[in-house]
Amino acid sequence: RRQRQMCIRDRFINSFKSFAAIDVMTQGGPQGSSIVLGYWIYTVGRVNSNYGQAMAGAIVMTIMVAFFTIISNKAFKDKG
């Protein structure tokens, strides 16, 4: 049960780390069709030099990961 919880949580967190594959293969795809939040943060912050908007995106991503982790911990909590 604990292993399943860790696998699900790690897969969710790793889904936000798909930056390298998107950057190397498509640079966001045709008209931004394959942009994920992590790549968007990079593009807005580093390429467009809009650091405030990139920081807001990073905060949203952090909140999403923290929320999912809390929900995951409650859902898989041992009952004994």
Side-chain angles (χ1 to χ4, degrees), residues 27-79:
Q27 288 82 39
Q31 298 179 348
S33 62
S34 65
I35 288 182
V36 294
L37 187 55
Y39 189 74
W40 180 84
I41 291 168
Y42 168 78
T43 303
V44 169
R46 300 292 280 180
V47 176
N48 299 338
S49 298
N50 191 342
Y51 302 112
Q53 195 172 9
M55 180 56 75
I59 291 170
V60 167
M61 186 168 83
T62 302
I63 291 170
M64 287 172 53
V65 170
F67 178 75
F68 180 79
T69 302
I70 291 168
I71 296 298
S72 172
N73 286 340
K74 287 186 180 199
F76 286 100
K77 189 171 187 173
D78 287 336
K79 296 177 176 58

Side-chain angles (χ1 to χ4, degrees), residues 13-26:
I13 292 170
N14 284 333
S15 70
F16 288 102
K17 298 179 181 179
S18 58
F19 169 81
I22 291 171
D23 188 43
V24 169
M25 292 192 291
T26 67

